[in-house]
Amino acid sequence: MHKFNKTLLALAVTCGSFQAGAAGFQLNSQSANGVGRANAGDAVIADNAAVLARNPSAMALFDTAALSMGMTVADIKIDVKDVNFAGGAVDLGGIDDAGSVKLIPNFYYIQPLNDKWAIGVAAFSNYGTGTDTASLVENRAVAPFDLIGETEVTTVNFNVSLSYRINQHWSVGLGFDTIYGKGKLTRYAGDRPLLDVDADGVGYGGIVGVTYELNQDNRFGLSFRKSPTVTVTGDINVLSSQEITGLSTQQVGIDFDRLEVPLADITQFAGFHQLTPSFAVHYTAQYTAWSSFEQITAKKGDATIVSGDYAGTPVASGVESPLKQYHWRDTWLGSVGGTYTVNPKVTLRAGYMYDRGVVDELSSLSIPDSNRQWFTFGAGYKWSKNTSIDFGVAYVRGTEVELVENSSLVGPVNAKTKSSAMYYALQYSYSF
């Protein structure tokens, strides 16, 4: 069996995708304001401290300290149907809803130090996954048990950032990310675990950004988030059947020492334009370099025979193996939104986003990624001079995907998947 003890990110990319969130296993739900406008302009609007999740240089737009915190509820619906193998001779049926409900909290605080410098701290999530397809193979003697099961991954990004105002037009910023995650993963053949994961870990990255203010009503933001290749250590055990000279075919267990997981860099550009005193438009273009995510590589493995008369006999050491190959493609998203100020108390938002999927030549039942569209609406209420409450609602619609994935147990598996989601987000903001 596989028994992984590793970071959440390794789990996310190895096993599943929060498919109705964003391409790959990204999330686009860092604030209620952003949810309500389809994240359009989020890297430069700076209507509350949540801009920290997108662009640290935008902290220069704040004259006083700002606090923002909130919660997003993501109700993910993933339909899986027509799952079959052996050329369609064996039909496993489908699942009406293999998704899950995720709670995604966030916290942001910005503190200007003077008219040039500002610092900020934040806690939010950029990645997550939750799927359960285990019922497809219940009470089956033969099935693709290695592809089907339960996946649950949660991440938190702790960020510390610094910004500097160069002049009335230009500002720059730099941030450091500490990403903590945990997850569970199971793959069972009857009551026998093929894969059993309960893990956590930490990875490190960073973000740089620049803001250009043409004037008070027009500004642009650009940021680049650098994501590392995370090296994961722990217990990584693989059970396989191998042909060994002089011993015919034997069950061999490989205990790997570490796992390497490449994560994607993210570049985004945003614009904001206050066209009238009551109405503004904003937009975002984001490019994610998922082509760097080719495979998960397990390293420093020790192989041992695990059953029969030769159980415990060492076979090899220093084994390196691709645990799973993906070969994703670079992807992009584009969003546009509008903000309408009804009166000094009430603000309305709406937006649309198109997000391109990451799957290229290799499709996957555990990652049924597809192109998706976001239709969003939000509103804000200024409770007092310093306090505001915002909410956002988003409907995410994916396209139906026909896929083929090879199981080491039964060969090619065919299926159709389609995803959708509803996001409900609430935010509290306070300016000091």
Side-chain angles (χ1 to χ4, degrees):
M1 73 174 186
H2 299 213
K3 192 174 183 179
F4 300 92
N5 184 7
K6 59 194 180 185
T7 73
L8 97 141
L9 297 178
L11 290 172
V13 296
T14 302
C15 316
S17 171
F18 203 7
Q19 118 109 327
F25 49 94
Q26 286 180 268
L27 299 175
N28 274 319
S29 52
Q30 285 77 29
S31 72
N33 303 57
V35 169
R37 58 182 172 239
N39 301 302
D42 270 12
V44 77
I45 290 182
D47 49 356
N48 63 34
V51 72
L52 260 178
R54 302 282 180 166
N55 183 3
S57 68
M59 292 192 298
L61 300 172
F62 290 79
D63 296 325
T64 62
L67 168 72
S68 185
M69 53 184 151
M71 175 74 71
T72 299
V73 178
D75 185 3
I76 309 299
K77 182 178 176 61
I78 301 175
D79 295 332
V80 183
K81 63 181 182 179
D82 299 337
V83 183
N84 64 84
F85 61 94
V90 181
D91 187 4
L92 299 180
I95 302 175
D96 290 336
D97 190 1
S100 64
V101 176
K102 302 283 287 187
L103 301 179
I104 311 169
N106 60 71
F107 173 88
Y108 309 94
Y109 179 74
I110 293 173
Q111 177 64 63
L113 301 178
N114 51 44
D115 60 353
K116 292 288 189 180
W117 295 92
I119 61 172
V121 294
F124 56 95
S125 180
N126 274 327
Y127 304 99
T129 178
T131 58
D132 186 359
T133 56
S135 62
L136 284 171
V137 294
E138 288 180 352
N139 303 316
R140 296 277 182 173
V142 178
F145 300 111
D146 54 333
L147 304 183
I148 295 174
E150 182 178 0
T151 302
E152 183 69 26
V153 175
T154 304
T155 73
V156 181
N157 187 334
F158 299 97
N159 172 273
V160 179
S161 292
L162 180 70
S163 71
Y164 177 73
R165 176 174 286 280
I166 299 173
N167 54 41
Q168 63 177 342
H169 296 294
W170 292 97
S171 303
V172 294
L174 173 69
F176 178 75
D177 294 328
T178 300
I179 304 166
Y180 169 79
K182 64 178 181 178
K184 291 184 178 182
L185 171 68
T186 59
R187 299 289 186 268
Y188 274 77
D191 59 358
R192 182 168 66 96
L194 301 178
L195 187 65
D196 189 1
V197 178
D198 191 353
D200 66 353
V202 175
Y204 302 97
I207 183 172
V208 295
V210 60
T211 296
Y212 176 70
E213 299 170 71
L214 181 62
N215 52 44
Q216 184 177 356
D217 295 327
N218 300 275
R219 53 185 180 268
F220 306 91
L222 177 68
S223 69
F224 172 75
R225 174 162 262 123
K226 178 63 178 177
S227 300
T229 293
V230 179
T231 298
V232 181
T233 60
D235 297 326
I236 306 168
N237 306 313
V238 178
L239 182 64
S240 65
S241 295
Q242 297 186 14
E243 186 174 325
I244 300 173
T245 303
L247 300 177
S248 67
T249 301
Q250 301 287 327
Q251 283 195 327
V252 175
I254 307 176
D255 298 331
F256 290 102
D257 180 66
R258 70 184 189 185
L259 206 63
E260 291 188 350
V261 183
L263 301 179
D265 299 334
I266 303 171
T267 304
Q268 61 182 306
F269 172 78
F272 172 83
H273 307 282
Q274 190 73 46
L275 301 182
T276 73
S278 299
F279 182 68
V281 296
H282 26 85
Y283 45 87
T284 288
Q286 179 175 294
Y287 180 82
T288 305
W290 278 120
S291 61
S292 64
F293 185 66
E294 294 188 352
Q295 65 184 30
I296 306 298
T297 305
K299 294 190 173 184
K300 293 187 176 181
D302 294 322
T304 306
I305 297 176
V306 298
S307 62
D309 295 337
Y310 299 96
T313 303
V315 175
S317 61
V319 176
E320 178 175 326
S321 175
L323 191 62
K324 188 171 179 64
Q325 296 188 5
Y326 289 95
H327 301 292
W328 283 355
R329 63 186 178 186
D330 294 340
T331 187
W332 58 270
L333 65 80
S335 65
V336 61
T339 297
Y340 179 69
T341 303
V342 179
N343 55 50
K345 290 283 188 179
V346 178
T347 301
L348 302 179
R349 306 178 183 93
Y352 169 81
M353 178 164 64
Y354 181 84
D355 190 11
R356 183 174 181 249
V358 299
V359 174
D360 196 6
E361 295 181 359
L362 294 181
S363 57
S364 173
L365 183 61
S366 60
I367 305 186
D369 197 45
S370 74
N371 300 334
R372 57 190 63 79
Q373 299 181 78
W374 290 55
F375 305 90
T376 72
F377 171 79
Y381 179 75
K382 197 166 184 60
W383 193 269
S384 67
K385 178 182 178 181
N386 303 98
T387 305
S388 62
I389 304 292
D390 297 275
F391 78 90
V393 177
Y395 168 63
V396 185
R397 185 177 67 190
T399 58
E400 184 172 272
V401 176
E402 295 187 16
L403 57 87
V404 180
E405 184 174 14
N406 190 61
S407 166
S408 61
L409 301 177
V410 301
V413 177
N414 299 276
K416 295 179 181 179
T417 66
K418 187 175 182 179
S419 67
S420 62
M422 290 298 303
Y423 282 74
Y424 309 93
L426 185 67
Q427 202 83 15
Y428 167 84
S429 299
Y430 187 84
S431 58
F432 294 84

